[in-house]
Amino acid sequence: MSLGPALELVRGGARAVVLLVAGSRPECIKLAPVARALGRSELLTPVVLNSGQQPEVVRSSFAEFSVRRTVDLDAMPAFTHLQPACDHLERGIREAVRRIGPAVVVVAGNTPTSYAAARAGHAEGVSVAHIEAGLRTDNSMTPFPEEWLRREITRYAQMHFASCKTAVSNLVGDGVDLHSIYQVGSPGIDTLFRALRDLGAPVDEDEPRSTLLVTLHRSENYDRGAELLCESLIQLCKLDPRLHVVFPLHANPRIIAPVRRRLRWLERCEITGTMPYRDFIAVARRAALIISDSGGIQEEAPHLGVAMVVPRINTERPEALATGWVELADVRRGTLVNVATQALAKARGPALPIDTAAPFGAGNAGARIVRILENRSGVQRSA
């Protein structure tokens, strides 16, 4: 365990410690606004822990968002099954919790790190706060493991930070005490708002667009699923010779191998590594269409004014579908080409504003979460 030099200052301070735990890029995207807001708090101080699940990804992501890590756990060994991986992560995080002594452990999303950190906090008698609480698909095991993990995290959390109305309803339906549920919006929208501000003027709605921006990482799209998606991309490029594919590859051999094998002959295809967040948004907002199984991009696409097709059979974000910008397509049933063709043919309208009427919040979730943590921390503001 590598403890940053800031930890000694934290131990000697009068503020309550909030431990933010991240193991993947999506967690960094959601936790960065919370870390920055905690940095402005008079009552709380953040300690940012890299779980070791994807250590280099976390380091580079937090560096991009100007968030300082305080604790780096050792890189997680390769595991072939979920439970041993979660057990390994939990042991390391429990040790960190014991040594740091936080008032609250904050987790985000539905990753093995989030699940392990929630269990670790619970085991050590520390309050657990869950960002993106209450997101649910229509099947408790699909997609696996994400859906199973997010539902399990709910069991260990005392504060449930919901990003949208249906998430609140889902939590109430699960029997969660209404007084522990807070609809705050998604801090991922905070990060998007910041990126769009940095990128400057919005894209002209009438600008010609030809890019198919594709990402893939969910387990339901491993192996054969990835091959079928690539076949759909080849068909789309044949149907419209103006289209070209930009495909930032997730670092998983069960995605990388079939994608490189199937798309190596597609001339109008640029396969890249993972892009920095701001670079990704710069490409996304000028795309003709986004094809992605990501959850976070479903929230972002309507605010970019770009149609999105989700190659999955269900989604935990029905509000994204309700915007009209996002549609589902079952790759294994061969519906992706038709759904994508229809999406490309639709006239583009103005992007959805990031405001109080937006389904996933007005871009101020980080600050709202910190205000709630201040009120729940038991630390009193000095006179």
Side-chain angles (χ1 to χ4, degrees), residues 300-322:
E300 295 164 343
H303 297 300
L304 299 173
V306 179
M308 177 179 177
V309 176
V310 182
R312 290 168 50 185
I313 61 172
N314 57 18
T315 179
E316 64 285 348
R317 291 170 169 86
E319 274 93 343
L321 302 181

Side-chain angles (χ1 to χ4, degrees), residues 191-202 277-278 281-282 285 300 303-304 354:
T191 301
L192 175 65
F193 183 85
R194 183 183 176 101
L196 291 174
R197 182 197 64 194
D198 292 345
L199 289 168
Y277 181 80
R278 191 182 303 171
I281 295 301
R285 68 179 189 154
E300 295 164 343
H303 297 300
L304 299 173
I354 298 177

Side-chain angles (χ1 to χ4, degrees), residues 61-364:
S61 296
F62 276 139
E64 180 185 358
F65 300 134
S66 301
V67 172
R68 178 183 295 179
R69 302 179 329 279
T70 320
V71 182
D72 284 308
L73 301 187
D74 293 336
M76 183 178 75
F79 290 97
T80 56
H81 296 288
L82 177 65
Q83 196 59 56
C86 292
D87 291 345
H88 171 87
L89 290 165
E90 183 182 346
R91 285 192 294 271
I93 297 168
R94 279 191 72 174
E95 174 63 20
V97 169
R98 284 193 288 266
R99 294 176 66 175
I100 294 166
V104 183
V105 174
V106 179
V107 305
N110 51 18
T111 70
T113 287
S114 298
Y115 170 68
R119 285 176 57 95
H122 175 79
E124 295 299 321
V126 177
S127 293
V128 174
H130 183 202
I131 292 170
E132 281 194 346
L135 296 182
R136 300 284 186 269
T137 68
D138 57 3
N139 186 317
S140 63
M141 294 298 287
T142 304
F144 184 85
E146 293 88 355
E147 187 65 20
W148 182 83
L149 289 169
R150 72 165 63 95
R151 293 181 187 225
E152 286 295 302
I153 292 168
T154 299
R155 297 173 51 206
Y156 299 104
Q158 287 72 49
M159 287 173 271
H160 305 266
F161 294 123
S163 57
C164 54
K165 290 180 180 178
T166 57
V168 173
S169 298
N170 291 334
L171 290 166
V172 172
D174 288 346
V176 176
D177 182 357
L178 186 61
H179 294 95
S180 69
I181 303 170
Y182 307 90
Q183 185 180 336
V184 295
S186 169
I189 297 300
D190 299 25
T191 301
L192 175 65
F193 183 85
R194 183 183 176 101
L196 291 174
R197 182 197 64 194
D198 292 345
L199 289 168
V203 178
D204 187 342
E205 292 172 29
D206 298 323
E207 176 185 294
R209 304 187 187 196
S210 59
T211 298
L212 293 178
L213 178 60
V214 185
T215 75
L216 206 64
H217 74 281
R218 297 274 185 171
S219 58
E220 66 261 46
N221 286 318
Y222 287 173
D223 307 324
R224 181 60 176 160
E227 290 190 0
L228 291 171
L229 183 134
C230 290
E231 288 299 319
S232 297
L233 295 177
I234 292 168
Q235 290 183 52
L236 287 167
C237 288
K238 286 180 179 178
L239 289 170
D240 188 341
R242 297 169 300 176
L243 294 175
H244 72 276
V245 175
V246 176
F247 201 145
L249 266 184
H250 189 268
N252 185 314
R254 297 179 69 180
I255 297 291
I256 292 173
V259 168
R260 290 198 179 279
R261 182 171 60 250
R262 299 303 299 158
L263 296 184
R264 60 181 173 174
W265 306 118
L266 183 60
E267 292 182 359
R268 288 173 285 135
C269 179
E270 178 185 356
I271 295 177
T272 75
T274 302
M275 294 180 181
Y277 181 80
R278 191 182 303 171
D279 293 351
F280 179 85
I281 295 301
V283 174
R285 68 179 189 154
R286 284 189 154 82
L289 180 68
I290 298 170
I291 300 175
S292 174
D293 57 11
S294 163
I297 302 174
Q298 293 177 52
E299 298 178 3
E300 295 164 343
H303 297 300
L304 299 173
V306 179
M308 177 179 177
V309 176
V310 182
R312 290 168 50 185
I313 61 172
N314 57 18
T315 179
E316 64 285 348
R317 291 170 169 86
E319 274 93 343
L321 302 181
T323 67
W325 288 98
V326 180
E327 296 182 78
L328 296 173
D330 188 346
V331 171
R332 296 179 187 273
R333 290 183 178 273
T335 63
L336 179 59
V337 172
N338 287 338
V339 174
T341 300
Q342 293 170 15
L344 286 164
K346 286 182 182 178
R348 287 192 300 268
L352 194 70
I354 298 177
D355 59 19
T356 55
F360 299 100
N364 60 354

